[in-house]
Amino acid sequence: MFKQSRKMEQIPPYMFAEFARKKAEMIKAGVDVIDLGIGDPDLPTPEHIVEKLVEEARKPENSKYPSFIGHPAFRKAVAHFYKREFDVELDPDTEVLALIGSKEGIAHIVPTVLNPGDYCLIPDPGYPPYRMATYLAEANVQYMPLKKENQFKPIFTDIPQDILPLAKLMFLNYPGNPTASTVDLKFYEDAIAFARKHNIIIAQDSAYNMITFQNYKAPSVLQVEGAKEVAVEFGSLSKTYSMTGYRIGYVVGNKDVIKSLSVYKSNTDTGQFTPIQLAAAYALNGDQSCIGKHNTIYWERMKAMIEGLKAIDVEVEPPKGSFFIWAPTPKGYTSSEFASTVLEQTGVIITPGNAFGPSGEGYFRVSLSLPNDVLADAIDRIKKNIKLSKK
Ligand SMILES: *Cc1c(COP(=O)(O)O)cnc(C)c1O
């Protein structure tokens, strides 16, 4: 009889997979569900990128095994993107590695840096794969609480002194999921100085680096002098160009970490389909007007949702990045209680904040990656139907 490994016994089903299961049950029961839980762009992949994919898919030479470290054109395109957007120079051969979506690299960097028993410093609340990959590597999680009073930034000096010598890897994520918070270059300077002092590798997850508003431009951690000695940055085409299903991302920065990760990967996967890499290269270097257009749409949705939430006395500052709203639950409600109440009274799914870590308690996350009319319907239901009984 099958009995899964002890390691797997510790791993709950992926949070969003579990939510998808519950949602399917509700739809089956006849509920008209609106899912503000998923962070998957509704806006289509821009046409020129799709055309490039189709064109490359027709070439017989592209059906062969791809390059382990990524197609040279893709790696060059990433380097070019970094030069253009952040004025950061990258060697496409040693400082850029293609990933099958950045989640893949985020999961696999953990065992390349950490030994069992080491500590991984993880933003709390944060993207669930950071902690799951840490469990799978039999390393320990040390949460870095992200509090509103600190603009959802970790306080490095709060990391316990006895943990520090065993902490080898720190995840950062700005613009942040789920908190939608952003940072300036000064924050990264402090982070790099801290990492150098304590021999910690920084892995900054920049999945939302191009989804920004209010004239804010998200910096790259690699803009900090000396950052390449201790840092890598994960990037993704998923959100920027609405390419989640393509599964293409990259990691850039420290070449020893990248080398190690490429060895790990060459033993577990064989890279992404070449036409997808070439379409991604084209996305990074082609017409960028889609980004501004999409950001304008997200921003309009953001303002409408924030306005809608006021009707139930939920106040949020408009964020400068990501397509999420991270909001405090109304008085008297835990994250789970509020998410259940909203679901029961409106059929709208929101993500309870504690799903992203213990410090997410007392918050909920709303995603704006749904068509305008669906979002308007959700806002309408929230305004009209929610009756809060607790005080
Ligand atoms: C969406 C997301 C990613 C993963 O992106 P892929 O490249 O599609 O794997 C990584 N980090 C965060 C915080 C995200 O929200």
Side-chain angles (χ1 to χ4, degrees), residues 65-111:
Y65 279 124
S67 145
F68 281 112
I69 58 171
H71 193 286
F74 175 70
R75 287 182 283 109
K76 269 188 206 141
V78 172
H80 188 259
F81 171 83
Y82 262 74
K83 180 71 190 159
R84 184 184 77 225
E85 296 295 333
F86 308 112
D87 199 24
V88 168
E89 304 275 353
L90 293 171
D91 176 354
D93 292 328
T94 58
E95 295 176 330
V96 181
L97 176 66
L99 300 172
I100 307 172
S102 62
K103 183 181 180 185
E104 177 261 300
I106 286 166
H108 290 146
I109 192 180
V110 177

Side-chain angles (χ1 to χ4, degrees), residues 14 16 39-41 99-106 126-130 172-178 205-208 234-239 243-250 322-324 356 365:
Y14 190 58
F16 289 99
D40 191 348
L99 300 172
I100 307 172
S102 62
K103 183 181 180 185
E104 177 261 300
I106 286 166
Y127 184 52
Y130 309 145
L172 295 174
N173 169 219
Y174 293 101
N177 176 12
D205 176 355
S206 68
Y208 299 92
F234 286 93
S236 174
L237 285 276
S238 289
K239 317 292 162 55
M243 290 170 68
T244 44
Y246 284 62
R247 311 312 304 132
I248 183 76
Y250 54 84
S322 87
F323 46 56
F324 300 113
F356 300 97
R365 192 192 75 174

Side-chain angles (χ1 to χ4, degrees), residues 106-288:
I106 286 166
H108 290 146
I109 192 180
V110 177
T112 72
V113 178
L114 297 181
N115 288 308
D118 285 345
Y119 276 80
C120 189
L121 304 170
I122 293 177
D124 165 32
Y127 184 52
Y130 309 145
R131 63 174 189 267
M132 292 311 160
T134 303
Y135 291 140
L136 286 171
E138 294 178 42
N140 300 305
V141 168
Q142 175 63 44
Y143 283 128
M144 300 186 292
L146 308 183
K147 304 270 186 200
K148 183 169 194 285
E149 61 265 31
N150 303 318
Q151 297 80 47
F152 301 108
K153 288 184 273 196
I155 304 297
F156 301 128
T157 48
D158 283 353
I159 298 165
Q161 286 297 321
D162 54 327
I163 301 284
L164 268 181
L166 292 169
K168 300 282 186 292
L169 180 63
M170 175 195 288
F171 280 104
L172 295 174
N173 169 219
Y174 293 101
N177 176 12
T179 64
S181 54
T182 52
V183 294
D184 53 20
L185 195 60
K186 173 73 172 65
F187 170 78
Y188 287 143
E189 285 167 1
D190 295 346
I192 294 293
F194 183 82
R196 291 173 82 155
K197 183 168 169 202
H198 297 285
N199 290 312
I200 295 168
I201 295 295
I202 287 188
Q204 146 62 16
D205 176 355
S206 68
Y208 299 92
N209 58 357
M210 301 304 283
I211 303 189
T212 56
F213 324 106
Q214 311 187 62
N215 295 320
Y216 170 77
K217 167 85 182 151
S220 159
V221 72
L222 298 181
Q223 285 172 299
V224 178
E225 184 85 39
K228 280 185 196 170
E229 284 169 38
V230 291
V232 290
E233 190 157 70
F234 286 93
S236 174
L237 285 276
S238 289
K239 317 292 162 55
T240 309
Y241 302 101
S242 291
M243 290 170 68
T244 44
Y246 284 62
R247 311 312 304 132
I248 183 76
Y250 54 84
V251 58
V252 295
N254 183 280
K255 57 180 186 315
D256 300 323
V257 173
I258 283 177
K259 175 87 199 165
S260 176
L261 184 54
S262 78
V263 171
Y264 188 105
K265 278 175 56 60
S266 65
N267 284 288
T268 55
D269 70 64
T270 313
Q272 184 50 282
F273 185 39
T274 299
I276 290 178
Q277 294 193 53
L278 295 173
Y282 194 57
L284 289 166
N285 285 337
D287 180 3
Q288 301 295 303

